[in-house]
Amino acid sequence: MKCVYIDTSVVNINLFGTKKEPERYSIVMNFFNRLNSQEFEGLISLYTLQEIYAFCEDNFPLNYVRKVVKLSFQELLKSELQIIPLLKRSERLVHQRKFPISDLSDQPHAILAYLNGCDAIITYDDHFRDIGSIIKVFTPEEFLDILDNKLLQEI
């Protein structure tokens, strides 16, 4: 079974995209349905949970943030995702030069995907393409196309 790291840009559409990203939302829902049917393994990290919290702080009234975060985590944990820990300082130091990504806040995601044996990163953030020679990078649409065409062995 192939393993993919799912970036926060995809997770947030799953959780909050019905109105903000309706075109992508249906695709991401299909992606998560396929994950839940165990066609592939999906990982997120504790960084993702932290970024969901930050998204809620940026998009909801302050007096609703904690409640929305709690509901979001509950919804997310219903899926077949596996959660991996934060990077150890030593892991970050050893691997940071291997992942020259333009958005340094996403570097931990890339390192974790690599260290946890993921075959690809699923994201809507284009800057992950900076490291496409080290680990494959796909949008949910691209990955679903691979699944539909039975090309997983080529990843």
Side-chain angles (χ1 to χ4, degrees), residues 35-75:
L35 167 72
N36 290 335
S37 68
Q38 300 182 348
E39 289 184 53
F40 57 93
E41 183 180 12
L43 303 181
I44 62 169
S45 70
L46 292 175
Y47 293 108
T48 307
L49 300 180
Q50 179 180 351
E51 290 172 1
I52 291 168
Y53 198 102
F55 178 88
C56 291
E57 286 180 316
D58 291 344
N59 290 280
F60 294 96
L62 186 58
N63 57 327
Y64 289 106
V65 168
R66 290 181 185 168
K67 184 172 185 117
V68 172
V69 168
K70 180 179 178 178
L71 293 170
S72 300
F73 286 2
Q74 287 172 337
E75 185 63 28

Side-chain angles (χ1 to χ4, degrees), residues 6 11 14-15 32-33 35-36 38 42 44 73-83:
I6 304 168
V11 172
N14 179 49
L15 295 172
F32 271 84
N33 288 336
L35 167 72
N36 290 335
Q38 300 182 348
I44 62 169
F73 286 2
Q74 287 172 337
E75 185 63 28
L76 187 62
L77 294 174
K78 291 177 186 176
S79 72
E80 290 295 321
L81 286 169
Q82 295 184 29
I83 301 173

